[in-house]
Amino acid sequence: MAELCVNIDHVATVRQARRTWEPDPAWAAVEAQLGGAAGITFHLREDRRHMQDDDLGRLKDVVTVRLNMEMAATEEMVEIAVGLQPQMAMLVPEGRQEITTEGGLDVIARQAELKPLLARLGDAGIPVSAFIDACPAQIQAAAECGFGVCELHTGPYAEAFHEHARNIGHPLVSAELEKIRDCTRTVLDLGMSCNAGHGLNYANVTAIASIPGLSELHIGHSIVSRSIFVGIREATRDMLRCMATPPSS
Ligand code: PXP
């Protein structure tokens, strides 16, 4: 089964609403670990809308599982990653006006710009993941560019699932699921590891978690949302239980 990496950005979103010191995303990371997370993911955005630079050292101190840094493909972020030494750098597109990451990285269009950044991260011994749409041409470009990992964007699947009354059998939902399944195989055939994430929640995760070959699911919003009621540790455990449920039950 794929492992769970919990994205703790939205704990910092709540803190930044008051620009205070609580709730602390590093504390959330510890609670997610105690709930069984195999990794902690954070996104240091260029506009610093949630995670702040001084969160990074505290996270590094307390995270004993894998620490993944999601980031824009910029020189500034690469330098921060090289200094921090996370277990993985996850390159994503960033738009100022977006509420969350909207689409996958256009690796085809940005190959020339991405290659030196990948080389710098590679020299520092940091594996790099490309967050991409479930599109074979983008996967091919990611392999050519030198990425070792692809994270497939599950947002379109998640939207279809909820638009069609959570009916996994609906043709538009199963079409999105099949795209993720097929693209997982393509990623693995090209010698990369395959992760998935975005928009996954307690209702829609089971079908994705059962796809053979996926290494990690990166999930944030739904876990942090549930944690308001039950705490991060229990919300993480609940997600792991959903991931382990066979899709037919
Ligand atoms: N993967 C990537 C690349 C993301 O940008 C995000 C959102 O920060 C996630 C996974 C997690 O998405 P969600 O918060 O919808 O679970």
Side-chain angles (χ1 to χ4, degrees):
M1 187 181 89
E3 292 187 305
L4 173 63
C5 294
V6 175
N7 183 316
I8 43 90
D9 298 341
H10 296 309
V11 175
T13 302
V14 175
R15 178 190 62 192
Q16 293 313 111
R18 296 290 291 268
R19 294 195 167 61
T20 177
W21 58 86
E22 61 182 3
D24 183 355
W27 189 340
V30 172
E31 287 292 321
Q33 285 174 180
L34 292 171
I40 300 296
T41 304
F42 69 93
H43 185 176
L44 184 68
R45 291 189 77 107
E46 290 182 279
D47 62 11
R48 307 302 198 266
R49 71 173 69 157
H50 35 54
M51 299 299 291
Q52 305 296 305
D53 295 62
D54 66 10
D55 290 325
L56 274 44
R58 284 180 306 107
L59 270 179
K60 181 84 178 170
D61 284 345
V62 297
V63 171
T64 55
V65 293
R66 297 192 292 278
L67 181 64
N68 308 308
M69 178 172 169
E70 189 181 326
M71 55 195 245
T74 65
E75 302 271 349
E76 182 205 10
M77 289 299 150
V78 167
E79 285 318 307
I80 293 173
V82 168
L84 185 71
Q85 290 284 307
Q87 270 70 44
M88 182 167 68
M90 300 163 54
L91 302 192
V92 297
E94 255 184 44
R96 273 306 147 272
Q97 304 306 323
E98 68 188 6
I99 293 173
T100 180
T101 313
E102 277 170 358
L105 193 64
D106 189 348
V107 183
I108 299 170
R110 297 180 61 185
Q111 278 206 37
E113 174 199 343
L114 290 170
K115 277 185 178 163
L117 301 178
L118 277 174
R120 177 89 182 94
L121 289 163
D123 288 347
I126 303 170
V128 192
S129 157
F131 178 61
I132 52 174
D133 294 334
C135 160
Q138 291 291 352
I139 297 170
Q140 186 68 44
E144 285 164 15
C145 212
F147 283 95
V149 186
C150 287
E151 180 184 346
L152 300 175
H153 190 348
T154 49
Y157 155 76
E159 273 165 35
F161 183 83
H162 291 280
E163 259 169 40
H164 300 291
R166 302 181 171 198
N167 175 7
I168 199 76
H170 188 287
L172 295 178
V173 181
S174 42
E176 291 298 340
L177 192 58
E178 278 317 300
K179 273 193 219 166
I180 303 288
R181 197 187 299 278
D182 292 348
C183 284
T184 299
R185 269 189 237 114
T186 308
V187 171
L188 298 177
D189 287 348
L190 288 168
M192 298 177 283
S193 306
C194 194
N195 299 334
H198 213 285
L200 296 177
N201 60 32
Y202 296 87
N204 67 28
V205 76
T206 304
I208 293 287
S210 70
I211 293 176
L214 282 177
S215 299
E216 296 173 353
L217 300 186
H218 291 258
I219 307 181
H221 183 78
S222 63
I223 293 176
V224 173
S225 300
R226 181 170 291 207
S227 78
I228 293 171
F229 307 107
V230 304
I232 297 256
R233 194 184 307 193
E234 202 49 43
T236 303
R237 282 192 188 129
D238 287 349
M239 184 58 77
L240 284 166
R241 275 192 283 269
C242 289
M243 287 168 61
T245 307
S248 52
S249 63

